[in-house]
Amino acid sequence: MKKLTPLQNIERSIHTKYRKTIWRPFVASVQKYDLISAGDKIACCISGGKDSMIMAKLLQNLHRFSKVPFDLVFLVMNPGYNAVNLQKIKNNAELLQIPITIFQSDIFDVVSKTDRSPCYLCAKMRRGFLYSEAQKLGCNKIALGHHFNDVVETVIMSMFYGGKFQTMMPKLNSTNFLGMQLIRPIYLVPESEIISWKNYNDLQFIKCACRFAEDCTLWDDGGEGSKRQEVKTLLKNLKKTNPAIEKNIMNSIHNVNLSTIISYHE
């Protein structure tokens, strides 16, 4: 029997060992929220972390087998990565045979000069640059690698720290780039399964490439520090007595009863 290459083993694991826990939730996300339509040209945005990399492989595989015709480009923005992080992204893209397109921005230089909410400013600027570059390439959608746990944690964070009930949407129309949409294809994929897939295939991805944390180069266990890590820890503890806590939170954003809401706005 012919021995499989590392890439073949990685791709095979998605459709065998992780078919139920990664591939099917990915397909369910695309179908349930109508994320991909015939004729779409999607910019799959890769940061270099585990989430965007597996999203790229999933979209690449869907593109091969889908009956719905769509095009893909794999977009990597270099906001000022150090040489180690940038090379890691290139090495992983080569290993996974993802044909990336890299473009430059000065986001890290800009963000390093502000004292107010640098993470928020960085995220906002990143999205703007990605929309702009994707539009130049003829794309009508950008795909970001936010997963199931990101969605659940965002709901909790919006209530605890923002004083509002707000969700991370699976699909959004851009208000600044006419005709562009943002989609989240791994919306229903649990982070624990992504970490398991990464470890099973002995893969290493960058963790935090920000200049505020230059010593963070390789992904560890999915933690990020700050308020999001506090929420991760809280949910982890709640799961000890209620294993369905995260699933229930996800179900709640699909099952809002407006007659029990005191006030709301659009």
Side-chain angles (χ1 to χ4, degrees):
M1 185 176 178
K2 186 178 179 181
K3 186 177 180 180
L4 297 178
T5 66
L7 175 63
Q8 288 172 327
N9 279 318
I10 291 168
E11 292 188 335
R12 184 179 181 184
S13 71
I14 291 174
H15 295 283
T16 54
K17 182 176 176 63
Y18 296 98
R19 184 174 187 83
K20 184 178 179 180
T21 57
I22 292 180
W23 178 254
R24 286 181 182 173
F26 159 68
V27 173
S29 301
V30 172
Q31 294 178 341
K32 182 173 184 177
Y33 305 112
D34 193 24
L35 301 186
I36 299 176
S37 301
D40 280 344
K41 186 172 183 180
I42 302 169
C44 177
C45 301
I46 298 174
S47 66
K50 69 185 192 317
D51 307 324
S52 61
M53 281 294 190
I54 195 169
M55 176 184 68
K57 284 311 296 179
L58 291 168
L59 283 172
Q60 191 180 56
N61 275 263
L62 184 65
H63 181 253
R64 291 173 185 164
F65 307 119
S66 176
K67 295 180 181 178
V68 178
F70 68 95
D71 289 326
L72 270 178
V73 295
F74 299 95
L75 202 54
V76 175
M77 178 178 64
N78 180 5
Y81 292 140
N82 63 36
V84 173
N85 284 320
L86 185 58
Q87 190 59 51
K88 191 67 183 176
I89 294 173
K90 292 178 179 178
N91 291 345
N92 280 325
E94 183 178 359
L95 170 64
L96 298 173
Q97 289 190 13
I98 299 171
I100 58 174
T101 298
I102 302 176
F103 73 98
Q104 305 292 127
S105 75
D106 60 352
I107 291 178
F108 283 177
D109 287 333
V110 174
V111 172
S112 65
K113 297 173 184 176
T114 183
D115 296 325
R116 297 186 60 187
S117 304
C119 294
Y120 171 79
L121 177 60
C122 183
K124 188 173 182 179
M125 290 183 67
R126 278 172 178 263
R127 191 168 299 180
F129 272 104
L130 289 168
Y131 268 128
S132 180
E133 193 67 22
Q135 200 168 54
K136 290 177 185 177
L137 295 173
C139 298
N140 65 312
K141 293 180 179 178
I142 64 170
L144 301 185
H146 295 113
H147 49 64
F148 175 91
N149 296 83
D150 287 326
V151 180
V152 171
E153 291 157 13
T154 297
V155 173
I156 301 299
M157 290 173 68
S158 71
M159 290 191 292
F160 284 13
Y161 307 115
K164 55 188 175 182
F165 184 82
Q166 183 171 299
T167 66
M168 177 182 282
M169 298 295 287
K171 180 168 65 175
L172 285 172
N173 292 322
S174 173
T175 55
N176 297 317
F177 295 86
L178 188 64
M180 296 288 291
Q181 278 189 333
L182 180 156
I183 62 173
R184 295 182 166 103
I186 58 172
Y187 197 82
L188 299 176
V189 178
E191 183 182 32
S192 59
E193 295 302 321
I194 298 174
I195 294 172
S196 177
W197 171 81
K198 172 187 78 74
N199 293 337
Y200 178 78
N201 290 292
D202 195 26
L203 297 170
Q204 290 184 322
F205 302 110
I206 68 170
K207 175 185 177 183
C208 174
C210 177
R211 287 184 187 167
F212 292 100
E214 283 279 37
D215 57 335
C216 298
T217 53
L218 299 182
W219 195 273
D220 185 12
D221 61 356
E224 297 177 356
S226 71
K227 299 302 182 185
R228 186 170 291 276
Q229 185 57 44
E230 289 181 17
V231 172
K232 282 180 180 289
T233 302
L234 172 64
L235 290 170
K236 183 178 180 180
N237 289 330
L238 289 173
K239 283 177 69 176
K240 294 176 183 177
T241 54
N242 182 3
I245 188 74
E246 291 170 335
K247 187 178 294 185
N248 287 341
I249 294 171
M250 175 63 86
N251 288 341
S252 75
I253 71 175
H254 293 83
N255 192 29
V256 176
N257 184 347
L258 289 182
S259 66
T260 66
I261 301 297
I262 294 174
S263 67
Y264 67 93
H265 66 269
E266 293 185 3

